[in-house]
Amino acid sequence: MACNYTAGFGIGQDSVINLDHGDPTMFAPFWKEVGDDATVKISGWEKMSYTSSCDDDICWFLEPEFANEVARLHRIVNNAATDGRYIIVGVGSTQMIHATLHALASIELRHPVNVVSAAPYYSMYPGIVDLMKSGLYHWAGDAAAFRGDDNFIELVCSPNNPDGAIRHAMLGKEAGKRVHDMAYYWPQYSPMRGPADHDIMLFTLSKATGHAGTRLGWALVKNKEVAREMAKFITLNTIGVSKDSQVRAATILKVISDGYEFPKPNGAPQFFHFGQHKLADRWRRLRRAVQESGQFSLPRFSPEFCEFFKEYAETYPGFAWLRCEDQKINDCEDFFKRINVLTRSGKHFGVGQEYVRISMLDTDANFDVFIKRISSLD
Ligand code: PMP
């Protein structure tokens, strides 16, 4: 199938801008500037074995250099407690979600366990949960509307995809189980409020560094039995996780950490500063265009002290959760489709179609066209 838009080669007036997916290509200019320091070379004879050199008896496929760099970056950013936690690696945090549900539900006595998340929830959750039509668990919808007993797993996404809100578990802490999806708890998106300390925390390279194509996610897990069940799921699902990807991820994470621990004298860019700067500029332009159009609204956030930047910082979510305020527009996704901008309707997030989610993480070229199109609406 041919593409009718190509970033970097000029985007035509009628070309389609796809801001439906959260493809984090926005970060590419940083990695271009870093150059060879982030380049990975793996010889033909290396990393051939299924197993890693790690003597981790739980996650036997975890590459030690990757595990070390994960722990190091969390320590530098101070966004999640790692001491005494098991690190489990997966093919994106998507596989981690499957592994987590499997692990938590397997050790429950009553099945199927209800899986819930407060609306607006990440649009992939219902599909991921019900994909296997598992007898162990099933999707039970909006956590706010859940009326069942303690037989539940709540997916808590914080900062939340799609609306950027800081979320806390909605259902009682004494009952059920919680999984904290922390894909966006990084300084470019949100002020760091200190280390999160939940039982199960999921992270992904896709949103932390922009390397969605490397397909790597990880979980920090307190309970040994849960960690063991998660690793078992990955063993039976994919017999481990690509060593090549883990080596690449370790290199990428190391560049970011080195940038803060050993800053270069020439003032070389630092990753979270780069990301925050870029998102701040995009949000400023989007808010202005939205205000001038008078047809839409966006969530508002108050500045908070960021423990990482050591100053008050704004929230700049990876998605704009935009509401069409004009009564004449009853399908906001369709409205944007008519100006050749693909967005994702609120109906996929458990709310109405007056909302759309728009990626803020695409290329500069696509973002510029998007702003132009909004600005030229009558
Ligand atoms: N959780 C959330 C909240 C996400 O936004 C995403 C990516 N859109 C994922 C999980 C999955 O990420 P990955 O690319 O690591 O599978």
Side-chain angles (χ1 to χ4, degrees), residues 174-190:
E174 311 73 45
K177 301 229 160 35
R178 281 144 292 278
V179 179
H180 283 79
D181 183 340
M182 315 211 61
Y184 301 90
Y185 192 45
W186 294 103
Q188 66 270 45
Y189 304 114
S190 177

Side-chain angles (χ1 to χ4, degrees), residues 59 61-63 66 87-91 95-96 216-219 234 241 246:
C59 195
F61 43 85
L62 178 67
E63 283 292 293
F66 172 69
I87 299 179
I88 309 291
V89 62
V91 182
Q95 191 186 35
M96 298 294 357
L216 265 205
W218 64 93
I234 292 166
V241 175
Q246 292 187 60

Side-chain angles (χ1 to χ4, degrees), residues 30-42 65 211 244 247-255:
F30 175 86
W31 294 107
K32 271 193 191 151
E33 196 169 338
V34 167
D36 280 350
D37 285 354
T39 302
V40 177
K41 181 169 167 280
I42 303 174
E65 57 196 291
H211 293 82
D244 305 14
V247 169
R248 183 173 190 213
T251 306
I252 295 292
L253 297 178
K254 181 174 184 308
V255 166

Side-chain angles (χ1 to χ4, degrees), residues 92-94 97 122 125 157 161 181 183-184 204 206-207 215-216:
S93 61
T94 301
I97 298 170
Y122 173 39
Y125 287 156
C157 186
N161 174 357
D181 183 340
Y184 301 90
T204 164
S206 308
K207 309 300 170 172
R215 305 303 308 124
L216 265 205

